[in-house]
Amino acid sequence: MDAGEPGSALPVDWADGTRCVHAGLPEPAPGQPFLPGPVFAAPYHLDPWQGPAGSPNGYGRPDNPTRRLLEAAIGELEGGDCRVFASGQAAITGLLLAVLRPGDTVLLPADGYFPVRSFATDTLAGIGVTVGFAPTAGPYPTLHGIRLVLLETPANPGLDVCDVAALAERAHAAGALLAVDNTTATPLGQRPLDLGADLVVASGTKALTGHSDLLLGYVASRSAELLATVTAWRTTTGAVPGAFDAWLAHRSLATLDLRLARQSANAGAVARLLADRPDVTGVRWPGLPDDPSHPVASVQMRRLPGIVSFDLGDAGRVARFVAASRLVAAATSFGGLHTTADRRAQWGDDTAPGFVRLSCGVEDTADLVADLTAALNAVSPA
């Protein structure tokens, strides 16, 4: 076996931490590294007689062994075959353009990632695709006549949750495909393909890789036909990640279980802190027993995300809160090692001016809670 090709599939009885450490690695060989370094190549040597049929590598756009190792790793965690893209937006727009045709209808989350909604209304509608929207928590319209239903659960940034299995059953009964954006949950939080989804799409930029140093997206499926369609689209458009980014992502996957455990614990402590403060409103985290998403999330999700949302009333108070904190950085994106706060209205989300998406990092829980408490006290209304 070539050192750049994945080994055998992971045993099904391995737990999350073990699976993350070993996902996508080649079979061990004396003198070889655990994870081979990135392969940098545009063209490869071809067999003079067989041409590209003589090797899995012919040209760097469709072929790269470093990328294939990462795809094997993510696919093992998601429970399907995977294709990685240059970014999460490249993955989700590629999926939509590869699957949808003029005359089709797509149903998108009304409260999901806003650039996807913008892409749908600006681009998909412009090529003859009918675009509809529904809130993540429902209600959903009849799905008859719809080609593709896209969910984002938990939704970003409001953290509403949808029952994937129930909607998959409805979609399939109506002849529709179901795709789930698994960015917020990650494959350790939930496995949509196990719940009946046809496709999974996600931004690997966020918690999956978790070090705030690369852009990545992916699509996963158990349907060879759907995956072939997505693969052909990626090959034609060239929306592939570079070898070094793919290697960095694979390296980072090994600690996913550890990072999520701390982030989720921190989010639980922060959510309880915020819920007890009269100067903070609209606290959302699916792990809170009284959260609207808790009944579904507690059954559907294997672990909860490290994201908490809340409202501080106005933009100025948000800015003062972040400035008063020693541990919270003002930054967009989420799922990284450092705790960050993002006032989503400044990016175009339909949220209140004081709405905050707080992404908990891996700091010690006691330090993070103490820091947030001090920062909130410093900006508390008189």
Side-chain angles (χ1 to χ4, degrees), residues 313-358:
D314 59 72
R317 188 167 177 233
V318 174
R320 293 192 300 274
F321 160 71
V322 176
S325 169
R326 299 175 63 186
L327 294 181
V328 180
T332 193
S333 195
F334 57 86
L337 300 175
H338 310 90
T339 296
T340 60
D342 194 5
R343 192 176 68 81
R344 291 305 301 166
Q346 66 188 333
W347 298 101
D349 269 334
D350 185 18
T351 57
F355 176 93
V356 177
R357 181 184 67 194
L358 187 80

Side-chain angles (χ1 to χ4, degrees), residues 262-321:
R262 175 60 66 84
Q263 290 167 340
S264 184
N266 281 348
V270 168
R272 290 187 290 272
L273 164 71
L274 297 174
D276 288 340
R277 292 189 64 102
D279 57 344
V280 179
T281 62
V283 178
R284 293 295 307 273
W285 185 61
L288 291 174
D290 59 348
D291 188 275
S293 295
H294 181 74
V296 175
S298 62
V299 174
Q300 177 171 283
M301 301 188 69
R302 301 171 61 237
R303 65 177 77 196
L304 297 170
I307 303 168
V308 180
S309 65
F310 55 96
D311 199 318
L312 291 182
D314 59 72
R317 188 167 177 233
V318 174
R320 293 192 300 274
F321 160 71

Side-chain angles (χ1 to χ4, degrees), residues 192-207:
L193 297 178
D194 289 348
L195 298 171
D198 300 287
L199 296 141
V200 171
V201 62
S203 168
T205 307
K206 312 298 193 297

